[in-house]
Amino acid sequence: MSAPAPAAGTARPRHAPWRTALITGATAGIGLAFADILARDGTHLVLVARDGDRLAEVADRLRARHPIAVTTIAADLRTDAGLTRIEDRLRDGEAPIDLLVNNAGTGTRGAFHTLPVQAELDVVALSAVAVVRLCRAALAPMVERGSGWIVNVSSLAGFQPDPLTATYGAAKAFSLSLSEALYDEVRGSGVRVTALCPSFTATEFHRRAGIDVSRVPARAWLPAERVALAGLRAVERGRPVCVPGTPYRLLAALSTVAPRRLARFGSRVFAGAR
Ligand SMILES: NC(=O)c1ccc[n+]([C@@H]2O[C@H](COP(=O)([O-])OP(=O)(O)OC[C@H]3O[C@@H](n4cnc5c(N)ncnc54)[C@H](OP(=O)(O)O)[C@@H]3O)[C@@H](O)[C@H]2O)c1
């Protein structure tokens, strides 16, 4: 389904440089926070997730509060059919998408050899395959127009190998590396690409994945709104990587300079503490 152009009389963005954004995983957590912030700034929205009823609820709420056009696409981004629908929307030259937020993601936790392989493949499908396909579909028209913004929601887990969340860490390392490479490739074209790399963020993510976070201290958690806002600021300023929260920024920096053996050790200790 292709979203219509914004209705006549709807507001143009007040502060933001973009006019229309497409957000995947927009019904909960970080994606919903992106939708709320962008709606407040007057950005027209295309919201993507699987649950159509929940999408409709979010869209109705945002339309009631803000003078913006909100359309929804119910799609499972693990499937070729779902991805094709979003690619078609991203390529629609009649109603261009200026800002793409690749946010939908799931996780697993446990010893790799004990986890159901389909759940591991789902992690890769959302955090790697979908990111490649949607970036590819969005970037070509953006580069042609000489303007565009892409935020790929990666993770602090992407900075080092992650025992007990091995596939998740590897998939997020993929999206982090892809984003940095794309940032560099399109530099100077008017298009900006940012990898947003949060750590613990208060969302539905861990409950959905059946991950016990009872040992994670309250102070470790970031609000989803803060994470989304940091990502938007970073992409607007043309930053390739954004790690919200000072302690997490330091950890990311340490992972980047530490010898691989030390990074693996730190990650093992961190995994054991969770
Ligand atoms: N929460 C954290 O601590 C944390 C930390 C670092 C990075 N991240 C990353 O942040 C991103 C957002 O996570 P979150 O914490 O906000 O998760 P969340 O609260 O569980 O929300 C996930 C969103 O993605 C959608 N979604 C899930 N599977 C989908 C599929 N197959 N196709 C389309 N949409 C799908 C969900 O809606 P439906 O179920 O209706 O499809 C929902 O809107 C993920 O990429 C995650 O890896 C999260």
Side-chain angles (χ1 to χ4, degrees):
M1 185 198 76
S2 199
T10 51
R12 294 182 66 83
R14 286 187 299 270
H15 314 294
W18 41 74
R19 182 179 164 85
T20 304
L22 185 148
I23 307 166
T24 70
T27 52
I30 297 170
L32 182 60
F34 269 106
D36 279 328
I37 296 167
L38 288 166
R40 282 203 297 272
D41 276 354
T43 303
H44 305 300
L45 296 174
V46 181
L47 308 178
V48 179
R50 286 167 303 177
D51 183 336
D53 291 341
R54 206 166 170 193
L55 273 172
E57 272 170 39
V58 172
D60 287 347
R61 179 175 62 77
L62 294 176
R63 276 190 217 104
R65 290 187 188 171
H66 309 284
I68 56 167
V70 186
T71 55
T72 62
I73 308 177
D76 186 339
L77 299 182
R78 295 169 303 179
T79 67
D80 180 56
L83 285 170
T84 301
R85 292 174 67 202
I86 311 307
E87 287 170 330
D88 288 346
R89 178 62 190 87
L90 289 167
R91 293 189 179 116
D92 180 356
E94 299 290 307
I97 298 296
D98 310 298
L99 168 65
L100 165 65
V101 182
N102 272 315
N103 165 77
T106 53
T108 57
R109 181 177 158 83
F112 178 77
H113 69 280
T114 67
L115 294 169
V117 72
Q118 189 55 53
E120 299 304 278
L121 293 175
D122 288 349
V123 168
V124 175
L126 288 176
S127 287
V129 177
V131 177
V132 169
R133 284 187 58 172
L134 301 189
C135 278
R136 175 66 184 84
L139 262 182
M142 285 179 177
V143 170
E144 203 178 308
R145 289 197 299 274
S147 113
W149 294 263
I150 295 179
V151 178
N152 291 326
V153 183
S154 177
S155 171
L156 189 64
F159 282 88
Q160 65 287 306
D162 292 283
L164 300 182
T165 51
T167 302
Y168 182 76
K172 290 304 190 185
F174 178 94
S175 81
L176 172 59
S177 176
L178 180 78
S179 305
E180 287 192 84
L182 297 183
Y183 164 88
D184 210 64
E185 281 187 19
V186 299
R187 215 175 170 161
S189 72
V191 182
R192 289 161 177 192
V193 181
T194 294
L196 173 60
C197 303
S199 184
F200 296 112
T201 308
T203 68
E204 299 175 10
F205 181 89
H206 299 91
R207 183 181 53 73
R208 281 172 184 254
I211 299 172
D212 177 11
V213 285
S214 55
R215 290 167 68 191
V216 179
R219 66 178 181 282
W221 294 91
L222 295 173
E225 178 108 355
R226 181 169 158 201
V227 169
L229 192 59
L232 288 172
R233 286 198 177 129
V235 77
E236 196 172 346
R237 291 173 188 168
R239 304 261 158 82
V241 180
C242 169
V243 181
T246 306
Y248 296 126
R249 250 190 314 283
L250 291 174
L251 271 178
L254 199 61
S255 292
T256 311
V257 297
R260 207 68 177 160
R261 249 171 58 190
L262 189 60
R264 274 200 307 273
F265 173 73
S267 184
R268 207 160 49 236
V269 171
F270 193 61
R274 279 184 276 155

